[in-house]
């Protein structure tokens, strides 16, 4: 009988140790019932500026956060208070919390070699920041919310978690009993836990909820306390502080993550010009249809034809220009010969005509008259040849201009066709990308929250 009683007591003790030690305070919640009431994670948005986790440092500091006191910066943790008596330290956000409804998740370790713990650490949401003092390394008369995680309550030497509000007038170091002002308390053992302990603080619908997970890696939360009718203003700072008494413990912060609960939907931006029309075209566009393919083939044919014609045109132009050059050369030679013949008849040279140094004489009849007639006939022939060459040259120039205009017009039509296809393809790509983004967002919301993204 005694053996059976011992086994029953041992079994109860093992269950108590694995689930945490609960005090008999009237504010306590039964762990089994609390686990049933643990709400599902609401829609939330991760705020990286109000969070930190490994790797902690950039240029030897935690971005958007400040540390002070006896803090030791490690690669695997931030030690707020080492296991040295009468040491304390803190880490505070440099950015104010802009959200009315929020959720924070803090992972930490409290370890020591002595039987009883050496004080503990505190979570803060206060109007002021970076104020050192006697309350777990921070100031006594704070304005806002504080959650004390006392790993060694001096009264019963048990772990104690307590939430308190202060308007900046209450001083608990002057003898006030904090239990009389507590919003709620619980006792869950986390000192020397084999795994990191997780603290979750949720402020939603004026309901303050505090959860603890002492061995489940953030997946086995148990409710510590709840209090309705709580109004916490926006624009306060988040922080964590710790201090060690005698005997002393190591107080390590591993991560601090903040999420906005029920974030508002993003406002639609004004549409750009013709955006709606392009969207409709994109929705209607399902690929290159037969008409577009025919236009592409026609444009390719025109380009090949123009290239072929361009080669022949160059050859014809070269032949014609050569013929015109020969004709002009012969004309110039004939003119020079006529000039010599005229000078032989006694006519003044071109230089004398220009200077006016000549006498006007009358041509005699007979041979001279016949010669002048021949010269006049030859001049008329040269004039006719020159006129024909000029007409031929103008005709060739006009033909070249026409072919160039045809080529330019075909190129323009081809560019318009390609531009239209390119625009439709881009519109279709944008539409597909938008649909994929919507599908991805819907998939993430279906799984729970977008926070899964950031934790991974």
């Amino acid at each position: 009988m005694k053996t059976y009683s011992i086994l029953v007591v041992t079994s109860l003790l093992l269950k108590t140790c694995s689930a945490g030690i609960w005090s008999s305070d009237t504010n306590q919640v039964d762990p089994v019932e609390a686990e049933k009431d643990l709400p599902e994670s609401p829609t939330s948005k991760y705020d990286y500026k109000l969070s930190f986790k490994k790797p902690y440092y950039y240029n030897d500091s935690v971005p958007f956060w400040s540390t002070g006191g006896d803090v030791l910066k490690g690669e695997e943790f931030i030690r707020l208070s080492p296991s040295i008596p009468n040491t304390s330290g803190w880490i505070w956000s440099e950015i104010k919390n802009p959200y009315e409804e929020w959720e924070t998740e803090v992972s930490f370790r409290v370890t020591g070699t002595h039987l009883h713990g050496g004080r503990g650490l505190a979570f803060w949401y206060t109007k002021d920041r970076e104020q050192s003092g006697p309350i777990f390394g921070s100031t006594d008369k704070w304005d806002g919310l504080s959650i004390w995680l006392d790993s060694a309550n001096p009264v019963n030497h048990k772990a104690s978690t307590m939430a308190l509000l202060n308007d900046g007038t209450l001083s608990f170091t002057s003898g006030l009993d904090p239990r009389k002002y507590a919003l709620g308390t619980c006792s869950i053992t986390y000192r020397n836990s084999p795994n990191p302990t997780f603290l979750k603080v949720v402020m939603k619908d004026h309901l303050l909820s505090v959860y603890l997970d002492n061995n489940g890696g953030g997946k086995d939360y148990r409710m510590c306390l709840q209090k309705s009718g709580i109004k916490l203003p926006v624009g306060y700072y988040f922080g964590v502080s710790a201090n060690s008494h005698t005997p002393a413990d190591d107080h390590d912060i591993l991560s601090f993550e903040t999420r906005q609960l029920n974030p508002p939907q993003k406002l639609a931006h004004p549409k750009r010009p013709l955006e709606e029309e392009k969207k409709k075209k994109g929705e209607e566009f399902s690929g290159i249809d037969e008409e577009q393919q025919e236009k592409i083939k026609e444009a390719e044919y025109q380009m090949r034809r123009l290239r072929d014609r361009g080669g022949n045109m160059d050859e014809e132009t070269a032949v014609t220009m050569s013929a015109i050059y020969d004709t002009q050369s012969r004309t110039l030679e004939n003119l020079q010969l006529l000039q010599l013949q005229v000078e032989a008849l006694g006519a003044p040279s071109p230089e004398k005509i220009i200077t006016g140094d000549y006498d006007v004489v009358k041509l005699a009849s007979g041979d001279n008259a016949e010669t002048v007639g021949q010269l006049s006939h030859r001049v008329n022939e040269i004039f006719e040849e020159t006129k024909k060459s000029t007409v031929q040259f103008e005709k060739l120039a006009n033909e070249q201009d026409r072919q160039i205009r045809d080529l330019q017009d075909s190129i323009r039509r081809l560019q318009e066709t390609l531009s239209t296809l390119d625009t439709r393809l881009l519109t279709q790509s944008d539409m597909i990308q938008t649909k994929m983004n919507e599908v991805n967002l819907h998939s993430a919301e279906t799984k729970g929250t977008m926070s899964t993204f950031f934790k991974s």
Side-chain angles (χ1 to χ4, degrees):
M1 187 65 180
K2 290 182 179 180
T3 304
Y4 177 78
S5 300
I6 292 173
L7 290 174
V8 171
V9 172
T10 303
S11 177
L12 291 174
L13 287 174
L14 289 175
K15 290 181 179 180
T16 303
C17 291
S18 63
I21 303 173
W22 292 79
S23 71
S24 60
D25 192 288
T26 56
N27 288 322
Q28 306 312 319
V29 183
D30 182 74
V32 177
E33 296 299 324
E35 190 170 4
K36 293 179 181 178
D37 295 335
L38 186 63
E40 296 182 359
S41 179
T43 304
S44 62
K45 181 181 72 174
Y46 185 84
D47 192 324
Y48 72 95
K49 292 184 179 180
L50 294 176
S51 307
F52 64 84
K53 55 185 176 180
K54 292 190 302 183
Y56 305 109
Y57 312 108
Y58 179 78
N59 291 336
D60 199 34
S61 64
V62 182
F64 310 110
W65 291 76
S66 300
T67 57
D70 300 310
V71 172
L72 299 178
K73 298 178 180 179
E75 294 296 329
E76 301 296 325
F77 52 79
I78 299 175
R79 181 158 293 171
L80 300 182
S81 176
S83 54
I84 301 174
N86 301 319
T87 57
S88 63
W90 45 257
I91 181 167
W92 282 91
S93 170
E94 297 175 349
I95 298 176
K96 296 179 180 180
N97 170 44
Y99 311 124
E100 292 184 358
E101 298 184 336
W102 46 267
E103 171 188 293
T104 61
E105 186 177 64
V106 186
S107 62
F108 62 93
R109 286 181 183 271
V110 178
T111 55
T113 58
H114 299 277
L115 178 61
H116 301 297
R119 208 70 269 187
L121 67 160
F123 169 92
W124 301 94
Y125 179 66
T126 58
K127 182 178 181 180
D128 301 310
R129 58 189 291 271
E130 298 183 11
Q131 292 183 324
S132 300
I135 306 297
F136 296 93
S138 189
T139 186
D140 186 7
K141 295 182 179 182
W142 73 89
D143 184 352
L145 170 69
S146 180
I147 299 175
W148 298 356
L149 296 107
D150 194 340
S151 56
N153 189 298
V155 177
N156 53 20
H157 297 289
K158 295 180 180 180
S160 174
T161 302
M162 180 185 305
L164 301 100
L165 287 178
N166 197 343
D167 58 0
T169 61
L170 299 177
S171 176
F172 294 98
T173 57
S174 62
L176 290 178
D177 187 353
R179 291 175 295 180
K180 295 181 180 180
Y181 298 89
L183 302 177
T185 64
C186 71
S187 181
I188 301 179
T189 300
Y190 50 80
R191 183 174 181 264
N192 288 328
S193 175
N195 294 315
T197 301
F198 285 79
L199 168 71
K200 179 181 288 187
V201 183
V202 181
M203 187 64 206
K204 183 175 183 293
D205 294 331
H206 302 297
L207 176 67
L208 175 67
S209 303
V210 179
Y211 305 92
L212 277 171
D213 178 3
N214 62 347
N215 197 31
K219 298 180 180 179
D220 187 22
Y221 277 107
R222 300 173 184 274
M223 180 178 288
C224 177
L225 61 94
Q226 270 191 343
K227 186 68 174 179
S228 61
I230 302 299
K231 296 182 180 180
L232 294 176
V234 298
Y236 279 21
Y237 296 95
F238 291 114
V240 181
S241 66
N243 70 342
S244 291
H245 288 182
T246 302
D249 287 340
D250 290 325
H251 300 85
D252 302 334
I253 296 296
L254 308 181
S255 65
F256 190 112
E257 299 183 79
T258 303
R259 295 174 177 83
Q260 178 191 12
L261 300 183
N262 298 321
Q265 294 183 353
K266 292 183 178 180
L267 299 177
H269 296 287
K271 294 182 179 180
R272 294 170 290 181
L274 304 179
E275 181 176 357
E276 190 65 31
E277 179 182 349
K278 291 182 179 180
K279 282 185 177 180
K280 290 181 179 179
K281 287 183 178 180
E283 292 174 356
E284 296 171 357
F285 180 72
S286 59
I288 301 177
D289 54 18
E290 295 182 359
E291 181 182 357
Q292 295 295 333
Q293 291 178 355
E294 291 297 327
K295 289 184 179 180
I296 293 175
K297 291 180 180 179
E298 177 65 21
E300 291 176 349
Y301 169 74
Q302 292 293 340
M303 290 296 296
R304 288 195 302 269
R305 187 174 66 85
L306 289 173
R307 282 197 299 267
D308 296 340
R309 287 183 60 187
N312 297 333
M313 182 178 64
D314 293 340
E315 295 176 0
E316 293 175 1
T317 301
V319 172
T320 303
M321 294 298 293
S322 177
I324 293 175
Y325 175 77
D326 292 340
T327 301
Q328 296 292 342
S329 298
R330 290 195 303 271
T331 301
L332 180 61
E333 291 175 355
N334 291 331
L335 288 175
Q336 290 175 344
L337 179 60
L338 287 174
Q339 176 64 29
L340 293 175
Q341 291 175 349
V342 170
E343 291 180 357
L345 294 174
S349 64
E351 290 80 5
K352 290 183 178 181
I353 293 175
I354 293 173
T355 59
D357 185 16
Y358 63 91
D359 295 328
V360 179
V361 295
K362 293 182 179 179
L363 293 175
S365 59
D367 293 337
N368 289 339
E370 183 180 355
T371 301
V372 171
Q374 292 177 353
L375 290 175
S376 177
H377 178 70
R378 185 57 181 163
V379 168
N380 291 333
E381 289 180 352
I382 293 173
F383 177 76
E384 292 296 329
E385 290 181 3
T386 303
K387 186 177 180 180
K388 290 180 181 180
S389 298
T390 301
V391 172
Q392 187 178 5
F393 184 79
E394 289 179 352
K395 182 179 180 181
L396 177 62
N398 292 333
E399 179 64 19
Q400 285 182 329
D401 290 340
R402 186 189 64 79
Q403 291 179 351
I404 290 174
R405 286 194 300 271
D406 291 343
L407 178 61
Q408 290 175 342
D409 187 59
S410 298
I411 292 174
R412 180 184 57 79
R413 289 196 301 270
L414 178 61
Q415 288 177 341
E416 291 177 353
T417 302
L418 296 178
S419 177
T420 301
L421 292 174
D422 186 55
T423 301
R424 291 194 174 188
L425 289 174
L426 288 176
T427 304
Q428 182 74 1
S429 176
D430 291 341
M431 184 194 67
I432 294 173
Q433 185 64 40
T434 302
K435 296 293 184 183
M436 291 184 66
N437 290 339
E438 292 176 355
V439 170
N440 290 336
L441 179 60
H442 177 70
S443 176
E445 291 176 349
T446 302
K447 292 180 180 178
T449 66
M450 289 296 287
S451 62
T452 306
F453 236 5
F454 299 94
K455 291 188 71 174
S456 61

